[in-house]
Amino acid sequence: VLWGIHMSCPGFHHAPQHLRCRSLSGAGTLRWNDYDRPEEFNFASDVLDHWTQMEKEGKRSPNPALWWVNDQGDEVKWSFREMTDLTCRAANVLTQTCGLQTGDRLALILPRVPEWWLVCVGCIRTGIIFMPGTTQMKAKDILYRLQVSGAKAIVTTDTLAPEVESVAPECPSLKTKLLVSDHSREGWLDFRSLVKSASPDHICIKSKTLDPMAIFFTSGTTGFPKMAKHNHGFALRSYFPACRKLLQLKMSDVFWCLSDTGWILAALGSLLEPWTAGSTVFAHHLPQFDPKVIIETFFKYPITQCLAAPSVYRMILQQNYTSLRFPTLEHCCTGGEALLPEEQEQWKRQTGVLLCQAYGQSETGISCGTLRGMKIKPGSMGKAIPPFDIQIIDDKGNIQPPNTEGNIGIRIKPTRPIGLFMYYEDNPEKTAEVECGDFYNTGDRATIDEEGYFWFLGRSDDVINASGYRIGPAEVENALAEHPAVAESAVVSSPDPVRGEVVKAFIVLNPEFSSRDPGELTKELQQHVKSVTAPYKYPRKVEFVSELPKTITGKIKRSELRKKEFGQK
Ligand code: BCO
């Protein structure tokens, strides 16, 4: 049972002086501009507590800050006052009970439960670096993350607790395990009851804008995921006027971002963007994705804006509902993978609502987009959003003229813009690899037209983008290699009408498995991958081959296989 709508907040009425924040000068009035670089910024004290103050002064409507629902009819509505109170308590739990300090890392693997917001903001208040991860992760994924980051704490639920326990002995840095559950578990601290009994008095750290705030894991062509480290400037960027133009959120908006809590899109869409504008964050627990539930939710709740990956909109359109005219929906935004122009037009035709494209990565947040009110060019992901200066560059970092294919580059010299990741933690080689002249090379291919609109073309490397997930082929190949049937494999992207792209595995079998029924073996291998790594990575297509194309030095030519999938020469 979740905390009720009216969870009492003892002590709030005696809120200490520090909660009367020093931040925004008034509702809707901006304190910082697109190119400002304030010395200090903290999302909790500068933004969230500001709205708390507005609420107290009667300058904000009584809409909740967080409106959470699930499919069992439970509902949580927390005001900004309650958010301040509860996140201060969470901050005290993390520092006082768990002994965590500024700069320590905390792995945050929670589904869409209200505590996700408490932990995120609790970390921001204390300077603990939070590392969101998807609940689809398996023990091996968790082990890697805990080890490589040296995380001192993990917060998760009953479902993943056994996976964490199975790897915890191999993680010497891990001192604290926090459980979000209605039950207690040996060896775990009970987050809910600790928050209830914690003090709501907490003094937010005065974080420097360039101090680290969060780490997002991101997949590459080779090896394990890299740690893209972001500072508090990542949250400040949501505050900049240019960024606010993307959605033009107002206090009265009810904003629903459907991204899993493990991705940067959720940090932006379920936390930073809506709360910066004083809007309501809407969340549906959605343990299993079901487009019908999404549609019903749009009909049932007064959601005004939505942010989701293209696959989500695509799957809604494919439901063949008689009407998709949602009563309160005014605007939709999408990002994370490519969206076809006809899908964008179909959404407008069927819902009456515009669907605007944005583009970004775990390294960049939302970098460009079709801002609300801007001319839409179907199929384009819009224009660069300041302070990012985005250009199409060649492999040496030279700016390319309009309508010429190249890499999407974000200028980092002479000044690295606020909002761009700092570097890949503990990985100077990979950090250097993506620096190209004066630019950060995203590895995404695109063109820019004369009006500054970007047109996405694909990846420059072997990374797969399946329904908005960035998947490293080596991660899937390594999982397949653990199965006795697999002699070797090559994993590439393959087109798909629903998911845009899916993972396809070309597999050479060990001789003793060559007589097995291919259909059955495919299912077994898919199940195997789902059981050893996060299931979203599993190969939805499998082809058994007698050999893989290789260079003379024996390197598998994935690009050759990929081109074949996309019908290219
Ligand atoms: O399709 P199958 O049923 O065979 O398999 C699915 C799930 O059923 C299964 N699964 C999920 N959890 C599991 C599990 N199996 C075992 N144990 C579990 N715990 O595994 C497969 C997972 O694939 P999926 O997540 O793609 O499946 P689903 O449910 O169809 O979801 C569809 C989408 C569209 C909702 C989902 O693909 C999605 O959320 N995509 C968007 C990802 C996203 O938000 N990307 C943004 C990244 S941030 C970024 O790009 C930067 C932008 C600024």
Side-chain angles (χ1 to χ4, degrees):
V1 180
L2 275 142
W3 301 339
I5 298 174
H6 298 295
M7 178 174 175
S8 66
C9 298
F12 189 81
H13 301 293
H14 313 287
Q17 184 67 33
H18 71 272
L19 291 181
R20 291 185 216 123
C21 65
R22 59 188 164 81
S23 53
L24 315 188
S25 53
T29 314
L30 293 172
R31 182 170 153 197
W32 293 293
N33 282 309
D34 295 340
Y35 294 93
D36 285 349
R37 303 175 76 81
E39 173 84 1
E40 287 176 1
F41 177 80
N42 186 288
F43 175 75
S45 57
D46 284 323
V47 175
L48 190 103
D49 295 345
H50 160 77
W51 291 112
T52 296
Q53 190 61 28
M54 292 291 110
E55 244 175 38
K56 284 202 230 167
E57 291 172 13
K59 292 180 182 159
R60 188 186 172 275
S61 58
N63 306 347
L66 178 68
W67 185 351
W68 176 96
V69 302
N70 68 10
D71 50 10
Q72 275 120 54
D74 298 316
E75 202 169 65
V76 169
K77 280 181 179 173
W78 283 334
S79 64
F80 277 101
R81 282 180 187 216
E82 284 168 308
M83 285 316 310
T84 288
D85 177 276
L86 291 165
T87 55
C88 283
R89 289 164 185 264
N92 283 328
V93 169
L94 297 173
T95 51
Q96 291 173 10
T97 318
C98 306
L100 295 168
Q101 293 177 356
T102 300
D104 286 345
R105 284 116 191 239
L106 175 146
L108 174 57
I109 314 176
L110 285 180
R112 297 175 189 91
V113 288
E115 288 79 5
W116 181 80
W117 283 264
L118 303 190
V119 178
C120 286
V121 181
C123 285
I124 294 174
R125 285 193 187 282
T126 53
I128 295 163
I129 301 169
F130 61 105
M131 308 185 300
T134 171
T135 52
Q136 286 198 27
M137 283 193 289
K138 298 287 177 236
K140 222 176 116 187
D141 307 303
I142 297 171
L143 172 66
Y144 167 71
R145 284 170 187 237
L146 293 176
Q147 283 186 335
V148 75
S149 67
K152 288 204 176 146
I154 186 162
V155 188
T156 193
T157 58
D158 291 308
T159 319
L160 280 173
E163 308 261 349
V164 175
E165 283 164 0
S166 72
V167 299
E170 295 168 70
C171 306
S173 310
L174 186 68
K175 303 286 180 235
T176 308
K177 303 196 290 292
L178 281 155
L179 191 71
V180 174
S181 169
D182 296 326
H183 316 282
S184 58
R185 191 179 177 99
E186 212 190 315
W188 293 75
L189 296 175
D190 175 355
F191 183 73
R192 283 185 180 154
S193 60
L194 286 172
V195 168
K196 273 185 194 164
S197 57
S199 161
D201 291 342
H202 180 267
I203 297 182
C204 184
I205 59 153
K206 283 187 173 294
S207 48
K208 300 249 184 304
T209 303
L210 301 184
D211 284 347
M213 184 181 90
I215 287 174
F216 295 93
F217 282 77
T218 180
S219 295
T221 304
T222 53
F224 288 101
K226 304 177 290 264
M227 294 188 280
K229 193 172 185 183
H230 280 271
N231 53 35
H232 289 269
F234 172 58
L236 172 65
R237 186 162 178 255
S238 288
Y239 190 103
F240 288 160
C243 236
R244 307 227 356 217
K245 284 186 190 143
L246 178 70
L247 303 163
Q248 293 185 18
L249 285 164
K250 309 176 292 299
M251 279 188 263
S252 55
D253 273 308
V254 178
F255 189 73
W256 188 17
C257 168
L258 282 99
S259 184
D260 180 285
T261 50
W263 313 118
I264 198 168
L265 203 58
L268 287 165
S270 295
L271 182 72
L272 303 176
E273 291 286 328
W275 280 355
T276 298
S279 314
T280 296
V281 167
F282 181 85
H284 193 305
H285 184 219
L286 278 179
Q288 277 291 316
F289 177 75
D290 181 351
K292 289 195 181 66
V293 175
I294 314 264
I295 293 172
E296 282 154 21
T297 306
F298 276 129
F299 278 118
K300 188 168 171 192
Y301 296 95
I303 296 153
T304 57
Q305 290 210 46
C306 170
L307 173 64
S311 289
V312 172
Y313 295 101
R314 214 176 276 133
M315 289 176 183
I316 293 175
L317 288 172
Q318 286 165 359
Q319 294 305 303
N320 285 330
Y321 263 63
T322 43
S323 167
L324 288 177
R325 297 265 156 178
F326 306 119
T328 50
L329 193 64
E330 291 171 6
H331 189 69
C332 290
C333 187
T334 192
E337 53 166 321
L339 177 75
L340 296 173
E342 50 272 31
E343 291 164 347
Q344 213 167 348
E345 281 155 8
Q346 197 189 349
W347 182 263
K348 172 78 178 78
R349 235 183 1 261
Q350 291 197 226
T351 63
V353 174
L354 292 176
L355 174 55
C356 289
Q357 275 202 70
Y359 159 83
Q361 301 181 325
S362 300
E363 289 87 339
T364 67
I366 293 176
S367 324
C368 64
T370 304
L371 310 180
R372 213 173 156 184
M374 191 168 120
K375 177 173 73 175
I376 294 182
K377 295 192 179 184
S380 160
M381 49 199 197
K383 296 187 187 185
I385 301 176
F388 287 1
D389 170 10
I390 310 186
Q391 303 288 343
I392 298 299
I393 54 169
D394 67 12
D395 291 339
K396 293 194 173 62
N398 299 308
I399 297 173
Q400 300 302 291
N403 306 314
T404 310
E405 181 178 338
N407 295 313
I408 300 176
I410 300 178
R411 187 181 291 282
I412 49 170
K413 288 179 192 159
T415 313
R416 196 173 185 93
I418 292 288
L420 191 66
F421 79 120
M422 302 163 77
Y423 42 76
Y424 297 121
E425 183 74 334
D426 298 330
N427 205 335
E429 298 81 22
K430 292 280 180 197
T431 305
E433 248 174 51
V434 295
E435 284 180 10
C436 185
D438 291 347
F439 293 88
Y440 157 65
N441 180 359
T442 62
D444 287 323
R445 307 281 292 170
T447 59
I448 184 171
D449 67 18
E450 286 82 359
E451 290 182 286
Y453 281 75
F454 286 89
W455 301 81
F456 187 82
L457 294 169
R459 284 291 302 175
S460 62
D461 56 19
D462 293 330
V463 169
I464 301 159
N465 188 334
S467 60
Y469 296 118
R470 189 164 140 177
I471 300 167
E475 294 169 49
V476 187
E477 287 161 3
N478 290 343
L480 283 166
E482 288 177 33
H483 193 282
V486 179
E488 58 178 351
S489 71
V491 166
V492 300
S493 178
S494 178
D496 182 80
V498 179
R499 291 166 192 273
E501 293 173 26
V502 291
V503 173
K504 174 160 181 180
F506 291 86
I507 296 174
V508 179
L509 290 173
N510 278 319
E512 61 272 32
F513 286 84
S514 55
S515 57
R516 286 275 305 269
D517 173 71
E520 264 177 32
L521 192 52
T522 295
K523 282 200 192 107
E524 188 178 316
L525 289 166
Q526 289 174 326
Q527 203 43 49
H528 164 77
V529 174
K530 279 184 176 182
S531 70
V532 296
T533 190
Y536 69 83
K537 298 180 203 168
Y538 87 89
R540 287 176 188 270
K541 294 184 187 172
V542 172
E543 188 175 329
F544 298 111
V545 291
S546 54
E547 58 179 357
L548 296 170
K550 290 186 181 160
T551 61
I552 37 170
T553 55
K555 208 169 158 250
I556 295 170
K557 293 202 256 179
R558 288 200 198 100
S559 62
E560 195 171 289
L561 296 167
R562 188 177 60 234
K563 281 182 185 155
K564 210 178 93 195
E565 288 304 299
F566 286 85
Q568 298 162 348
K569 292 233 168 77

